[in-house]
Amino acid sequence: MPTPSSKLTVYHDIGSGKHRQLINLSDLAVSLGEDYCATLLGMYVFSGEDCAIAFKGKGENGPLKKLEKHPRVRKAFRQLGEEWNLKSHVLKQLEEFTCLRYGQDRESSMDGLRVKVLRKIVGEDEKLTSKSKIDLARLPPCHSALNHRVALYKRADESILEKSKPYDDGQGWIRTEDGVLEPVWSCGAALPNSLVNLLDTGDREDEKEEEEENEDG
């Protein structure tokens, strides 16, 4: 969406046939205001853009209504991408909004949210095994590369950028010895301690016993 201060008139061509229409995005941006437009940009990338579903099954209308009711969170989305490294208080507010998005208004941390969501998916009295038919895409996504993408969008009109490299600290990527970029899959424990008891280690123990028997044989 163009900013209200943009001198260009931008139209969005949607529909087909008799349902085709042109929406004047420039006028819409003016009516919404610059702050709200900046909020939508952060929200757009945060939600996975149009090419990836970051919050599977959560839609967009519901979260957008929740966003409108929380001015403090809107400010956090506006601050996304202002600097190349994400500030801790902005990240904290985004975590709180993610909890709201999953209907957990009393939760404020991503780890706590993941625990509750995974326990609900697995079942209160069930164990998570290698045979469990669990769609882990329903869990909240990671945030490592989020700020870098928003920062690039906000500087799309600049011909020369002075920016952090994707593999710099806090940007969500690492560079291998061969110069290949790979995502940072985890910055800490792979599983919160509160979820350890949810795992059924029986399968793994059986595999170890089989390996030991094969070695002895």
Side-chain angles (χ1 to χ4, degrees):
M1 178 173 288
T3 62
S5 58
S6 175
K7 296 181 180 180
L8 296 175
T9 300
V10 180
Y11 293 91
H12 183 36
D13 187 354
I14 64 172
S16 61
K18 64 179 182 180
H19 300 293
R20 185 182 181 186
Q21 58 178 316
L22 289 177
I23 298 177
N24 190 323
L25 294 184
S26 298
D27 286 348
L28 181 59
V30 171
S31 66
L32 292 175
E34 192 160 351
D35 284 348
Y36 193 79
C37 289
T39 299
L40 290 180
L41 175 59
M43 179 70 173
Y44 171 69
V45 179
F46 184 75
S47 299
E49 305 172 56
D50 293 331
C51 57
I53 302 174
F55 298 94
K56 185 176 181 180
K58 293 302 172 184
E60 297 297 337
N61 291 334
L64 187 58
K65 291 179 180 178
K66 291 181 179 179
L67 183 65
E68 292 172 349
K69 296 179 181 178
H70 294 81
R72 189 163 62 95
V73 180
R74 293 205 301 270
K75 182 179 179 181
F77 277 112
R78 290 197 299 272
Q79 290 178 315
L80 276 176
E82 293 296 336
E83 299 179 9
W84 290 106
N85 291 310
L86 191 61
K87 294 181 178 179
S88 58
H89 72 276
V90 175
L91 176 58
K92 184 63 178 176
Q93 290 170 2
L94 294 179
E95 285 193 73
E96 292 175 0
F97 177 73
T98 302
C99 293
L100 287 173
R101 190 164 190 163
Y102 280 79
Q104 299 290 337
D105 54 350
R106 295 184 179 181
E107 186 60 63
S108 60
S109 75
M110 293 295 289
D111 277 350
L113 175 62
R114 290 189 182 100
V115 169
K116 291 183 177 180
V117 172
L118 189 55
R119 283 194 180 279
K120 183 177 180 180
I121 294 175
V122 174
E124 195 63 34
D125 300 321
E126 300 295 328
K127 293 287 186 179
L128 181 63
T129 71
S130 58
K131 298 179 181 179
S132 298
K133 296 181 179 180
I134 302 299
D135 184 5
L136 295 179
R138 292 169 58 189
L139 291 177
C142 62
H143 58 257
S144 297
L146 167 68
N147 190 65
H148 190 89
R149 291 191 62 79
V150 184
L152 289 175
Y153 273 113
K154 288 191 172 181
R155 293 161 178 79
D157 60 332
E158 299 179 19
S159 57
I160 300 176
L161 293 179
E162 294 184 5
K163 65 181 182 66
S164 301
K165 294 180 174 60
Y167 50 82
D168 286 345
D169 289 343
Q171 299 304 313
W173 297 83
I174 57 174
R175 186 171 63 172
T176 66
E177 294 180 355
D178 298 327
V180 178
L181 287 180
E182 294 183 353
V184 177
W185 294 110
S186 177
C187 297
L191 192 70
N193 292 332
S194 53
L195 278 180
V196 172
N197 293 332
L198 186 65
L199 295 178
D200 186 351
T201 59
D203 290 347
R204 183 55 185 161
E205 290 174 356
D206 292 341
E207 290 177 2
K208 287 184 178 179
E209 290 179 0
E210 290 180 3
E211 291 175 359
E212 291 174 356
E213 290 176 358
N214 292 333
E215 290 177 358
D216 294 339

